[in-house]
Amino acid sequence: MSELARGLKCRLCGKEYPKQPLNFCTEDFGPLEVDYDYEAIAKAMRPEVVERRPFNMWRYRELLPIDGEPAVGPLVGGTPLAKARNLADALGVKNLWIKNDAVNFPTLSFKDRVVSVALSKACEFGFKTVGCASTGNLANSVAANAAQAGLESYIFVPADLESAKIIATSVYGAHVIGVQGTYDQVNRLCTQVAFKYGWGFVNINLRPYYAEGSKSMGFEIAEQLGWRVPQHIVCPMAGGSLIGKINKAFHELHRIGIIDRPKCKIFGAQAAGCNPITDAVKNGRENHKPVRKPNTIAKSLAIGDPADGFFAAKVMRDTGGWGEDVSDDDIADAMLLLARTEGIFAETAGGVTLAVARKLIQQGRIPRDEEIVLCVTGNGLKTQDAILGLVNKLTVIRPSLEEFEPVYKGGRAEPVEPALV
């Protein structure tokens, strides 16, 4: 769709740039984002056209920044919007949905959306080596999608990342580098590597294109609700991009005439051990204060100095939403609640989202009789450590009915700790 994505534009001063692997304005160092020809898109992208296409993220390709067909991730997106009746009863609300990217293809997180766009663009620019700085899910996705695209990949992660996420990155043949430091230190190193070696780093020099992939979650939510938006969305925040891109998706659909003017309050969720954006919102500040040493089980959200923190806080203010954060105990409890009510095993970030939603409902910031969508962005198989000591222990018996009957009637057999898979 080369004629529809015109180039890049600074989010602060508006300076325009041609399409290139660049993520900052050379005038004021403001972040760049993709600039579209919305008038042409309005003529090409109608609901009846979209609905005839396969149900994946590329059915909205006019509003994604690639030239032609995607080179990477043709099956990404199209995840369920599940009606959460049992969880709604548990929370005491009437109308609750789960947007479940825990089953996204191929690596079970929403990061497959952003990576498929970024790596498709990397192929267009002629990169042969790609990489990223990651707290986990992005590492998995870059490694997997780079393998599918025949690209060499270098993945930089904090050395204390969950072992499941490191294994789920290494399996694809990526070069995985554990850095002794915080995510922000990892990210600074990757910036140096990207410019020294001329590689395509999805969340650095390819970031303007990468971030646009998140909009597809918003497009899908609107379509799955019958081309409308919900009254409230609760979204986890790490770098802060997703919350802004969902909001952008709704406004783009309105701009091209597909939905009415969006009136959706957007709420951001963080862990108390790394809450720079929610702290700014709750204290009335435009800019966040970086968290130097994040300390939370929600490692996928543990970005102390989020690149889009200013814009994420602005989205919450502008839409009438709010930001809130929760403890590690609340996160783990919410993971169990989601699994035991809706059969959805979310990673710690999903626990953050639900725990924050519960807190906002209790505070009265989200009315109990209005429609709510919770965004689950990753799969719990990646963060089993967080709830290992909270799940029921394995009951072991010999293969006989006589041994099973006392267990069924409330007796006890020898408990065994479940093993991680």
Side-chain angles (χ1 to χ4, degrees):
M1 301 293 111
S2 57
E3 72 281 4
L4 301 180
R6 294 185 293 204
L8 302 174
K9 181 184 288 188
C10 177
R11 296 178 72 177
L12 297 181
C13 72
K15 181 177 179 179
E16 297 179 353
Y17 295 81
K19 285 176 277 190
Q20 58 183 302
L22 180 68
N23 63 318
F24 63 90
C25 177
T26 55
E27 295 292 326
D28 58 11
F29 299 100
L32 301 183
E33 69 175 354
V34 179
D35 183 33
Y36 295 92
D37 183 346
Y38 290 107
E39 185 176 343
I41 292 171
K43 296 176 182 177
M45 185 178 168
R46 305 305 308 152
E48 60 272 17
V49 174
V50 171
E51 290 165 6
R52 287 197 295 267
R53 297 170 178 169
F55 189 52
N56 56 54
M57 66 177 285
W58 300 109
R59 70 202 267 120
Y60 316 103
R61 54 182 170 267
E62 289 87 352
L63 285 169
L64 296 172
I66 64 167
D67 298 341
E69 293 298 315
V72 180
L75 302 178
V76 174
T79 59
L81 182 69
K83 187 73 170 176
R85 293 181 176 85
N86 296 331
L87 181 58
D89 289 344
L91 297 178
V93 297
K94 287 188 176 180
N95 195 358
L96 182 67
W97 302 86
I98 305 292
K99 180 57 175 170
N100 187 13
D101 262 26
V103 293
N104 208 359
F105 179 85
T107 66
L108 308 180
S109 89
F110 93 97
K111 291 295 187 181
D112 291 318
R113 298 177 184 273
V114 294
V115 168
S116 61
V117 174
L119 294 192
S120 289
K121 208 66 191 174
C123 292
E124 291 177 12
F125 287 136
F127 287 111
K128 302 300 181 185
T129 302
V130 296
C132 69
S134 177
T135 53
N137 285 324
L138 182 59
N140 299 169
S141 188
V142 170
N145 285 290
Q148 181 254 310
L151 300 170
E152 188 171 17
S153 62
Y154 281 79
I155 313 296
F156 295 77
V157 299
D160 64 350
L161 193 65
E162 299 101 329
S163 59
K165 288 183 177 176
I166 292 176
I167 292 169
T169 303
S170 302
V171 69
Y172 301 108
H175 303 280
V176 183
I177 313 297
V179 180
Q180 294 178 335
T182 65
Y183 170 82
D184 298 296
Q185 292 172 312
V186 175
N187 195 53
R188 284 192 288 272
L189 172 60
C190 286
T191 301
Q192 296 171 320
V193 171
F195 286 97
K196 178 176 176 61
Y197 293 99
W199 296 344
F201 272 67
V202 300
N203 51 349
I204 299 175
N205 51 355
L206 293 171
R207 186 176 181 85
Y209 313 99
Y210 156 91
E212 290 290 281
S214 293
K215 295 190 306 184
S216 63
M217 181 181 278
F219 297 147
E220 289 178 14
I221 291 170
E223 183 181 356
Q224 288 168 316
L225 290 175
W227 295 114
R228 62 177 181 82
V229 301
Q231 292 166 291
H232 307 276
I233 282 186
V234 186
C235 182
M237 299 185 298
S241 176
L242 177 60
I243 189 172
K245 293 302 181 181
I246 288 177
N247 185 56
K248 184 181 180 184
F250 293 159
H251 283 274
E252 285 184 335
L253 291 177
H254 169 66
R255 186 168 182 175
I256 64 173
I258 289 182
I259 66 172
D260 294 334
R261 182 176 298 278
K263 297 179 181 179
C264 176
K265 294 182 178 180
I266 300 182
F267 300 83
Q270 292 197 296
C274 187
N275 65 340
I277 307 175
T278 57
D279 176 69
V281 171
K282 291 193 291 184
N283 286 284
R285 297 192 309 270
E286 286 193 358
N287 295 299
H288 66 271
K289 294 180 179 179
V291 174
R292 296 189 181 279
K293 292 184 178 180
N295 181 23
T296 173
I297 60 172
K299 295 184 184 297
S300 64
L301 303 183
I303 296 180
D305 190 9
D308 285 278
F310 169 82
F311 298 103
K314 186 175 187 302
V315 164
M316 287 180 270
R317 289 194 303 270
D318 289 351
T319 64
W322 191 248
E324 192 53 88
D325 42 76
V326 287
S327 70
D328 282 359
D329 286 345
D330 288 336
I331 294 166
D333 178 70
M335 291 171 68
L336 293 179
L337 177 62
L338 180 58
R340 291 172 180 179
T341 54
E342 298 299 333
I344 296 173
F345 188 15
E347 67 164 1
T348 47
V352 171
T353 301
L354 174 52
V356 163
R358 179 168 56 187
K359 194 170 183 179
L360 292 167
I361 292 164
Q362 292 169 348
Q363 291 171 351
R365 293 187 181 274
I366 298 180
R368 294 179 183 272
D369 60 349
E370 295 185 355
E371 187 174 50
I372 309 163
V373 171
L374 307 184
C375 294
V376 170
T377 54
N379 198 290
L381 294 173
K382 301 181 179 190
T383 57
Q384 297 179 60
D385 294 16
I387 46 86
L388 184 59
L390 303 177
V391 297
N392 297 335
K393 293 182 178 180
L394 182 66
T395 298
V396 177
I397 63 173
R398 283 185 278 272
S400 74
L401 186 59
E402 289 76 13
E403 290 222 5
F404 169 70
E405 285 182 337
V407 174
Y408 171 68
K409 294 176 180 178
R412 298 186 62 83
E414 179 185 359
V416 177
E417 291 284 356
L420 293 177
V421 298

